[in-house]
Amino acid sequence: MVDPDLPTKSLSIKGLRAGYGSLDILNGVDLDVPQGQFVALMGPNGAGKSTLLKSLYGMTTIKGGSIEWQEKNIAGYKPRAILAEGIAFVPQGRCNFPVMTIDENLQMAAYTLRDDRVKSDRDYVYDLFPILKARRNTLAGNMSGGEQQLLEVAMAVLQRPKILLVDEPSVGLSPAAIAIVFNELLRINAGGQTILLVEQNTKKAMEVAHRAVILRLGKVIWDGKPADITHDELSELFLTGRMRGEAKAEH
Ligand SMILES: Nc1ncnc2c1ncn2[C@@H]1O[C@H](COP(=O)(O)OP(=O)(O)O)[C@@H](O)[C@H]1O
Ligand SMILES: [Mg+2]
């Protein structure tokens, strides 16, 4: 039997053009993300990775194309409406309320939910992130970078999204902290959570993701399994937009 809570259709982005005011950044992005997949979105600085996540979350100017999500075109929806459709976004940077405890931060995030759900939702997040539970009375600002990043992810997960958009969670973190964040992302993905992760740490991203999507100059230039591309080929793609030996792409 088909689970009625599961979307009959996943995320399907077609010919998406978007930017900021009159500035065009995405020049026709096509991307389908099936339910439960862990996708790493990579590419050189300025490729439009953050702009793509922001576009999915209603924070850019949409110029054309469509963002189909569960059989609706949500292009042009406002962030609040997008969250209500089951899409949550963890932007770059961390820790909104450093002088509040982890528990208080989660309570703040839960205020957008119905009051009677706050306690059970916090328990749900603590079950998912035991590290946060152990430190629930610690001021967020006194936690390590990795723990603060986890708190940001947890605050998004509290909304029980169907897809989680995460922008560069590893920036500025120590290798140990990066390992913690990625392990937790892997763990929530193993529970069925769809993840679209922007990541500049390509080595780490290729280790965890089911699929790698490479964006350059506002377009998807490569899309496949991490096992199908070497680190050198990836660097070449970032630099030139094509693989070694491949004819120069027409622009
Ligand atoms: N708020 C903004 N207003 C205008 N231009 C922006 C804004 N944010 C990003 N850009 C521009 O959009 C381009 C793509 O940026 P971004 O999506 O952040 O790239 P990436 O995340 O791949 O490094 C860059 O040229 C950047 O300067
Ligand atoms: Mg970015």
Side-chain angles (χ1 to χ4, degrees), residues 18-21 23-26 41-54 59-60 92 167-168 198 215-218:
Y20 305 95
L23 191 63
D24 290 354
I25 304 296
L26 303 181
L41 185 62
M42 294 173 288
N45 262 338
K49 304 179 297 295
S50 296
T51 302
L52 178 53
L53 291 196
K54 285 190 270 177
M59 294 167 72
T60 63
Q92 228 178 307
D167 198 354
E168 305 224 13
V198 167
L215 207 65
R216 191 172 187 274
L217 303 173

Side-chain angles (χ1 to χ4, degrees), residues 6-12 14 33 35 68-71:
L6 278 181
T8 51
K9 219 174 173 186
S10 55
L11 178 66
S12 182
K14 290 197 174 71
V33 180
Q35 177 81 23
E68 277 173 47
W69 170 250
Q70 297 180 47
E71 295 177 336

Side-chain angles (χ1 to χ4, degrees), residues 142-220:
N142 288 345
M143 298 192 304
S144 73
E147 288 165 340
Q148 289 187 31
Q149 190 64 58
L150 275 191
L151 178 60
E152 291 302 306
V153 172
M155 285 165 81
V157 164
L158 195 67
Q159 316 292 329
R160 307 222 181 180
K162 297 195 175 87
I163 184 168
L164 192 58
L165 315 174
V166 191
D167 198 354
E168 305 224 13
S170 73
V171 167
L173 298 187
S174 67
I178 292 173
I180 290 171
V181 171
F182 275 80
N183 282 343
E184 296 298 315
L185 287 176
L186 267 176
R187 231 154 51 83
I188 57 174
N189 172 250
Q193 175 75 66
T194 313
I195 298 181
L196 180 53
L197 167 78
V198 167
E199 189 47 65
Q200 40 84 47
N201 185 333
T202 52
K203 187 170 175 290
K204 204 73 202 164
M206 300 294 252
E207 274 170 31
V208 298
H210 299 127
R211 177 173 164 207
V213 174
I214 301 173
L215 207 65
R216 191 172 187 274
L217 303 173
K219 276 194 161 168
V220 173

Side-chain angles (χ1 to χ4, degrees), residues 24-181:
D24 290 354
I25 304 296
L26 303 181
N27 301 304
V29 169
D30 294 306
L31 180 66
D32 285 341
V33 180
Q35 177 81 23
Q37 202 170 51
F38 192 145
V39 179
L41 185 62
M42 294 173 288
N45 262 338
K49 304 179 297 295
S50 296
T51 302
L52 178 53
L53 291 196
K54 285 190 270 177
S55 296
L56 296 177
Y57 204 66
M59 294 167 72
T60 63
T61 313
I62 306 287
K63 317 288 185 75
S66 61
I67 304 169
E68 277 173 47
W69 170 250
Q70 297 180 47
E71 295 177 336
K72 274 185 212 166
N73 182 3
I74 58 161
Y77 277 36
K78 296 267 183 298
R80 221 185 149 78
I82 291 172
L83 183 61
E85 295 289 341
I87 298 178
F89 177 41
V90 184
Q92 228 178 307
R94 53 185 181 263
C95 205
N96 287 323
F97 309 108
V99 294
M100 296 192 335
T101 64
I102 290 183
D103 209 58
E104 289 163 346
N105 267 276
L106 288 171
Q107 218 171 314
M108 286 288 288
Y111 277 144
T112 54
L113 305 169
R114 283 199 342 265
D115 275 354
D116 56 340
R117 264 183 51 188
V118 170
K119 188 173 178 304
S120 67
D121 275 310
R122 248 187 306 165
D123 289 344
Y124 163 75
V125 161
Y126 283 141
D127 284 347
L128 275 176
F129 301 97
I131 295 174
L132 294 181
K133 186 173 188 178
R135 309 206 58 196
R136 62 193 296 164
N137 296 317
T138 306
L139 293 184
N142 288 345
M143 298 192 304
S144 73
E147 288 165 340
Q148 289 187 31
Q149 190 64 58
L150 275 191
L151 178 60
E152 291 302 306
V153 172
M155 285 165 81
V157 164
L158 195 67
Q159 316 292 329
R160 307 222 181 180
K162 297 195 175 87
I163 184 168
L164 192 58
L165 315 174
V166 191
D167 198 354
E168 305 224 13
S170 73
V171 167
L173 298 187
S174 67
I178 292 173
I180 290 171
V181 171

